[in-house]
Short mmCIF file of all heavy atoms in Angstrom, two decimals:
data_model
loop_
_atom_site.label_atom_id
_atom_site.label_comp_id
_atom_site.label_asym_id
_atom_site.label_seq_id
_atom_site.Cartn_x
_atom_site.Cartn_y
_atom_site.Cartn_z
N HIS U 1 -11.73 7.96 -15.83
CA HIS U 1 -10.47 8.14 -16.56
C HIS U 1 -9.69 6.86 -16.87
O HIS U 1 -8.79 6.88 -17.69
CB HIS U 1 -9.56 9.12 -15.81
CG HIS U 1 -10.18 10.46 -15.67
ND1 HIS U 1 -10.25 11.36 -16.70
CD2 HIS U 1 -10.78 11.05 -14.62
CE1 HIS U 1 -10.87 12.45 -16.29
NE2 HIS U 1 -11.20 12.29 -15.03
N LYS U 2 -9.99 5.75 -16.20
CA LYS U 2 -9.35 4.45 -16.46
C LYS U 2 -7.81 4.52 -16.50
O LYS U 2 -7.16 3.88 -17.32
CB LYS U 2 -9.83 3.85 -17.78
CG LYS U 2 -11.32 3.74 -17.91
CD LYS U 2 -11.89 2.65 -17.05
CE LYS U 2 -13.32 2.38 -17.46
NZ LYS U 2 -14.28 2.44 -16.43
N SER U 3 -7.22 5.28 -15.63
CA SER U 3 -5.77 5.42 -15.59
C SER U 3 -5.12 4.28 -14.80
O SER U 3 -5.58 3.94 -13.71
CB SER U 3 -5.39 6.76 -14.94
OG SER U 3 -4.00 6.82 -14.71
N PRO U 4 -4.03 3.72 -15.31
CA PRO U 4 -3.32 2.69 -14.55
C PRO U 4 -2.73 3.24 -13.25
O PRO U 4 -2.51 2.50 -12.30
CB PRO U 4 -2.23 2.21 -15.50
CG PRO U 4 -2.14 3.21 -16.58
CD PRO U 4 -3.45 3.93 -16.63
N TRP U 5 -2.48 4.53 -13.20
CA TRP U 5 -1.99 5.15 -11.97
C TRP U 5 -3.02 5.02 -10.86
O TRP U 5 -2.67 4.80 -9.70
CB TRP U 5 -1.67 6.63 -12.19
CG TRP U 5 -0.46 6.86 -13.03
CD1 TRP U 5 -0.44 7.30 -14.32
CD2 TRP U 5 0.90 6.65 -12.64
NE1 TRP U 5 0.85 7.38 -14.75
CE2 TRP U 5 1.70 6.99 -13.74
CE3 TRP U 5 1.51 6.21 -11.47
CZ2 TRP U 5 3.09 6.91 -13.71
CZ3 TRP U 5 2.90 6.13 -11.44
CH2 TRP U 5 3.66 6.47 -12.54
N LEU U 6 -4.28 5.15 -11.22
CA LEU U 6 -5.34 5.02 -10.22
C LEU U 6 -5.49 3.57 -9.76
O LEU U 6 -5.77 3.32 -8.59
CB LEU U 6 -6.66 5.55 -10.77
CG LEU U 6 -6.69 7.06 -11.02
CD1 LEU U 6 -7.96 7.45 -11.76
CD2 LEU U 6 -6.55 7.81 -9.72
N VAL U 7 -5.28 2.63 -10.66
CA VAL U 7 -5.31 1.22 -10.27
C VAL U 7 -4.19 0.94 -9.27
O VAL U 7 -4.40 0.28 -8.25
CB VAL U 7 -5.18 0.30 -11.51
CG1 VAL U 7 -5.05 -1.16 -11.09
CG2 VAL U 7 -6.37 0.49 -12.43
N ALA U 8 -3.00 1.48 -9.56
CA ALA U 8 -1.87 1.30 -8.64
C ALA U 8 -2.17 1.91 -7.27
O ALA U 8 -1.88 1.30 -6.23
CB ALA U 8 -0.61 1.93 -9.23
N ALA U 9 -2.76 3.09 -7.27
CA ALA U 9 -3.11 3.75 -6.00
C ALA U 9 -4.14 2.93 -5.23
O ALA U 9 -4.03 2.76 -4.01
CB ALA U 9 -3.64 5.16 -6.26
N PHE U 10 -5.12 2.38 -5.93
CA PHE U 10 -6.15 1.59 -5.27
C PHE U 10 -5.57 0.31 -4.67
O PHE U 10 -5.87 -0.04 -3.53
CB PHE U 10 -7.28 1.26 -6.26
CG PHE U 10 -8.39 0.48 -5.63
CD1 PHE U 10 -9.32 1.12 -4.83
CD2 PHE U 10 -8.50 -0.89 -5.83
CE1 PHE U 10 -10.36 0.40 -4.24
CE2 PHE U 10 -9.52 -1.62 -5.25
CZ PHE U 10 -10.46 -0.97 -4.44
N VAL U 11 -4.75 -0.38 -5.43
CA VAL U 11 -4.14 -1.62 -4.93
C VAL U 11 -3.27 -1.32 -3.72
O VAL U 11 -3.30 -2.05 -2.72
CB VAL U 11 -3.33 -2.33 -6.05
CG1 VAL U 11 -2.48 -3.45 -5.50
CG2 VAL U 11 -4.27 -2.84 -7.13
N ALA U 12 -2.50 -0.25 -3.79
CA ALA U 12 -1.65 0.13 -2.66
C ALA U 12 -2.49 0.44 -1.42
O ALA U 12 -2.13 0.05 -0.30
CB ALA U 12 -0.79 1.34 -3.03
N GLU U 13 -3.61 1.09 -1.60
CA GLU U 13 -4.47 1.41 -0.46
C GLU U 13 -5.11 0.15 0.11
O GLU U 13 -5.31 0.04 1.31
CB GLU U 13 -5.53 2.43 -0.86
CG GLU U 13 -6.19 3.11 0.30
CD GLU U 13 -5.24 3.91 1.19
OE1 GLU U 13 -4.14 4.27 0.77
OE2 GLU U 13 -5.63 4.16 2.35
N CYS U 14 -5.40 -0.81 -0.75
CA CYS U 14 -5.91 -2.11 -0.27
C CYS U 14 -4.87 -2.81 0.59
O CYS U 14 -5.20 -3.39 1.63
CB CYS U 14 -6.31 -2.99 -1.45
SG CYS U 14 -7.82 -2.48 -2.28
N VAL U 15 -3.62 -2.76 0.17
CA VAL U 15 -2.54 -3.36 0.96
C VAL U 15 -2.43 -2.65 2.31
O VAL U 15 -2.29 -3.29 3.35
CB VAL U 15 -1.20 -3.32 0.20
CG1 VAL U 15 -0.03 -3.74 1.10
CG2 VAL U 15 -1.27 -4.20 -1.04
N GLY U 16 -2.53 -1.32 2.29
CA GLY U 16 -2.50 -0.56 3.54
C GLY U 16 -3.66 -0.93 4.45
O GLY U 16 -3.49 -1.05 5.67
N LEU U 17 -4.82 -1.13 3.87
CA LEU U 17 -6.00 -1.52 4.65
C LEU U 17 -5.80 -2.91 5.26
O LEU U 17 -6.16 -3.15 6.41
CB LEU U 17 -7.25 -1.49 3.77
CG LEU U 17 -8.58 -1.79 4.45
CD1 LEU U 17 -8.87 -0.77 5.54
CD2 LEU U 17 -9.70 -1.79 3.42
N LEU U 18 -5.20 -3.80 4.50
CA LEU U 18 -4.90 -5.13 5.01
C LEU U 18 -3.93 -5.06 6.19
O LEU U 18 -4.12 -5.73 7.20
CB LEU U 18 -4.32 -6.00 3.89
CG LEU U 18 -4.01 -7.44 4.24
CD1 LEU U 18 -5.28 -8.20 4.61
CD2 LEU U 18 -3.31 -8.12 3.07
N CYS U 19 -2.90 -4.22 6.07
CA CYS U 19 -1.95 -4.03 7.18
C CYS U 19 -2.66 -3.46 8.41
O CYS U 19 -2.41 -3.89 9.54
CB CYS U 19 -0.81 -3.11 6.76
SG CYS U 19 0.33 -3.86 5.58
N ARG U 20 -3.54 -2.52 8.20
CA ARG U 20 -4.31 -1.94 9.30
C ARG U 20 -5.17 -3.01 9.96
O ARG U 20 -5.31 -3.05 11.19
CB ARG U 20 -5.19 -0.79 8.79
CG ARG U 20 -5.94 -0.05 9.86
CD ARG U 20 -6.77 1.08 9.27
NE ARG U 20 -6.11 1.87 8.27
CZ ARG U 20 -5.23 2.85 8.52
NH1 ARG U 20 -4.91 3.12 9.75
NH2 ARG U 20 -4.70 3.54 7.54
N GLY U 21 -5.73 -3.89 9.17
CA GLY U 21 -6.54 -4.97 9.72
C GLY U 21 -5.71 -5.92 10.56
O GLY U 21 -6.13 -6.35 11.64
N VAL U 22 -4.51 -6.25 10.07
CA VAL U 22 -3.62 -7.12 10.85
C VAL U 22 -3.26 -6.45 12.17
O VAL U 22 -3.26 -7.10 13.22
CB VAL U 22 -2.34 -7.47 10.05
CG1 VAL U 22 -1.30 -8.14 10.93
CG2 VAL U 22 -2.67 -8.35 8.85
N LEU U 23 -3.00 -5.16 12.12
CA LEU U 23 -2.67 -4.43 13.35
C LEU U 23 -3.84 -4.44 14.33
O LEU U 23 -3.64 -4.58 15.54
CB LEU U 23 -2.28 -2.99 13.02
CG LEU U 23 -1.91 -2.10 14.20
CD1 LEU U 23 -0.68 -2.64 14.93
CD2 LEU U 23 -1.65 -0.68 13.74
N SER U 24 -5.03 -4.33 13.83
CA SER U 24 -6.21 -4.32 14.70
C SER U 24 -6.53 -5.69 15.27
O SER U 24 -6.88 -5.82 16.44
CB SER U 24 -7.44 -3.82 13.93
OG SER U 24 -7.24 -2.50 13.51
N VAL U 25 -6.42 -6.73 14.44
CA VAL U 25 -6.82 -8.06 14.84
C VAL U 25 -5.71 -8.80 15.60
O VAL U 25 -5.97 -9.48 16.59
CB VAL U 25 -7.25 -8.90 13.60
CG1 VAL U 25 -7.51 -10.33 13.97
CG2 VAL U 25 -8.46 -8.27 12.95
N ALA U 26 -4.49 -8.64 15.14
CA ALA U 26 -3.37 -9.38 15.74
C ALA U 26 -2.16 -8.46 15.92
O ALA U 26 -1.16 -8.58 15.20
CB ALA U 26 -3.01 -10.57 14.87
N PRO U 27 -2.24 -7.53 16.87
CA PRO U 27 -1.13 -6.58 17.05
C PRO U 27 0.19 -7.27 17.39
O PRO U 27 1.26 -6.76 17.04
CB PRO U 27 -1.60 -5.67 18.18
CG PRO U 27 -2.76 -6.33 18.79
CD PRO U 27 -3.31 -7.28 17.79
N GLU U 28 0.12 -8.43 18.04
CA GLU U 28 1.35 -9.14 18.38
C GLU U 28 2.06 -9.63 17.12
O GLU U 28 3.29 -9.64 17.04
CB GLU U 28 1.09 -10.31 19.34
CG GLU U 28 0.25 -11.44 18.79
CD GLU U 28 -1.24 -11.18 18.72
OE1 GLU U 28 -1.73 -10.22 19.34
OE2 GLU U 28 -1.93 -11.94 18.02
N LEU U 29 1.31 -10.02 16.09
CA LEU U 29 1.90 -10.42 14.82
C LEU U 29 2.59 -9.24 14.16
O LEU U 29 3.67 -9.37 13.60
CB LEU U 29 0.82 -11.00 13.89
CG LEU U 29 1.28 -11.43 12.50
CD1 LEU U 29 2.30 -12.56 12.59
CD2 LEU U 29 0.11 -11.83 11.65
N PHE U 30 1.96 -8.09 14.26
CA PHE U 30 2.51 -6.88 13.67
C PHE U 30 3.83 -6.51 14.34
O PHE U 30 4.79 -6.13 13.68
CB PHE U 30 1.50 -5.73 13.79
CG PHE U 30 1.65 -4.71 12.71
CD1 PHE U 30 1.00 -4.87 11.49
CD2 PHE U 30 2.42 -3.58 12.89
CE1 PHE U 30 1.11 -3.93 10.49
CE2 PHE U 30 2.56 -2.64 11.88
CZ PHE U 30 1.91 -2.82 10.68
N SER U 31 3.88 -6.62 15.67
CA SER U 31 5.11 -6.26 16.38
C SER U 31 6.20 -7.33 16.25
O SER U 31 7.38 -7.02 16.31
CB SER U 31 4.82 -5.99 17.85
OG SER U 31 4.30 -7.15 18.47
N SER U 32 5.81 -8.58 16.03
CA SER U 32 6.81 -9.64 15.89
C SER U 32 7.31 -9.80 14.46
O SER U 32 8.28 -10.52 14.21
CB SER U 32 6.25 -10.97 16.40
OG SER U 32 5.22 -11.43 15.54
N THR U 33 6.65 -9.15 13.53
CA THR U 33 7.05 -9.23 12.11
C THR U 33 7.29 -7.81 11.60
O THR U 33 6.39 -7.17 11.05
CB THR U 33 5.94 -9.92 11.28
OG1 THR U 33 5.51 -11.09 11.95
CG2 THR U 33 6.42 -10.27 9.90
N PRO U 34 8.52 -7.31 11.78
CA PRO U 34 8.79 -5.91 11.41
C PRO U 34 8.59 -5.61 9.92
O PRO U 34 8.36 -4.46 9.55
CB PRO U 34 10.25 -5.70 11.81
CG PRO U 34 10.77 -6.99 12.28
CD PRO U 34 9.67 -7.98 12.35
N VAL U 35 8.61 -6.63 9.07
CA VAL U 35 8.42 -6.38 7.64
C VAL U 35 7.02 -5.84 7.36
O VAL U 35 6.82 -5.09 6.39
CB VAL U 35 8.73 -7.65 6.82
CG1 VAL U 35 7.64 -8.69 6.97
CG2 VAL U 35 8.95 -7.31 5.36
N LEU U 36 6.05 -6.18 8.20
CA LEU U 36 4.69 -5.66 8.00
C LEU U 36 4.65 -4.13 8.10
O LEU U 36 3.95 -3.47 7.34
CB LEU U 36 3.72 -6.27 9.00
CG LEU U 36 3.33 -7.72 8.75
CD1 LEU U 36 2.45 -8.25 9.87
CD2 LEU U 36 2.64 -7.87 7.41
N SER U 37 5.41 -3.60 9.02
CA SER U 37 5.48 -2.14 9.16
C SER U 37 6.08 -1.51 7.90
O SER U 37 5.62 -0.47 7.43
CB SER U 37 6.32 -1.78 10.39
OG SER U 37 6.40 -0.40 10.54
N SER U 38 7.10 -2.15 7.36
CA SER U 38 7.71 -1.65 6.13
C SER U 38 6.74 -1.75 4.96
O SER U 38 6.67 -0.83 4.13
CB SER U 38 8.98 -2.44 5.81
OG SER U 38 9.93 -2.27 6.82
N VAL U 39 6.01 -2.84 4.88
CA VAL U 39 5.02 -3.01 3.81
C VAL U 39 3.96 -1.92 3.90
O VAL U 39 3.55 -1.34 2.89
CB VAL U 39 4.38 -4.42 3.87
CG1 VAL U 39 3.15 -4.52 2.98
CG2 VAL U 39 5.40 -5.47 3.49
N TRP U 40 3.52 -1.61 5.13
CA TRP U 40 2.51 -0.58 5.32
C TRP U 40 3.03 0.78 4.85
O TRP U 40 2.35 1.52 4.14
CB TRP U 40 2.12 -0.53 6.79
CG TRP U 40 0.83 0.19 7.07
CD1 TRP U 40 0.01 0.82 6.20
CD2 TRP U 40 0.22 0.34 8.34
NE1 TRP U 40 -1.08 1.35 6.83
CE2 TRP U 40 -0.97 1.07 8.17
CE3 TRP U 40 0.56 -0.07 9.62
CZ2 TRP U 40 -1.81 1.41 9.21
CZ3 TRP U 40 -0.29 0.26 10.67
CH2 TRP U 40 -1.46 0.99 10.45
N THR U 41 4.26 1.10 5.23
CA THR U 41 4.86 2.36 4.82
C THR U 41 5.03 2.42 3.30
O THR U 41 4.73 3.44 2.66
CB THR U 41 6.22 2.56 5.51
OG1 THR U 41 6.02 2.55 6.92
CG2 THR U 41 6.87 3.87 5.11
#
């Protein structure tokens, strides 16, 4: 369907995956940088 809505959804999910990776690899960074939690949400 080549919808820009789907591109937006995919990019957002990539950002969420990146946040999940930071949480897994460096949980102390996640807890010391509250903006990451907001970005994930």
Side-chain angles (χ1 to χ4, degrees):
H1 299 284
K2 306 288 193 233
S3 171
W5 289 107
L6 293 172
V7 173
F10 181 77
V11 169
E13 197 61 20
C14 288
V15 171
L17 184 61
L18 182 64
C19 289
R20 185 179 316 280
V22 169
L23 180 62
S24 297
V25 173
E28 66 283 345
L29 178 63
F30 208 87
S31 61
S32 68
T33 313
V35 73
L36 286 176
S37 180
S38 297
V39 167
W40 197 358
T41 301

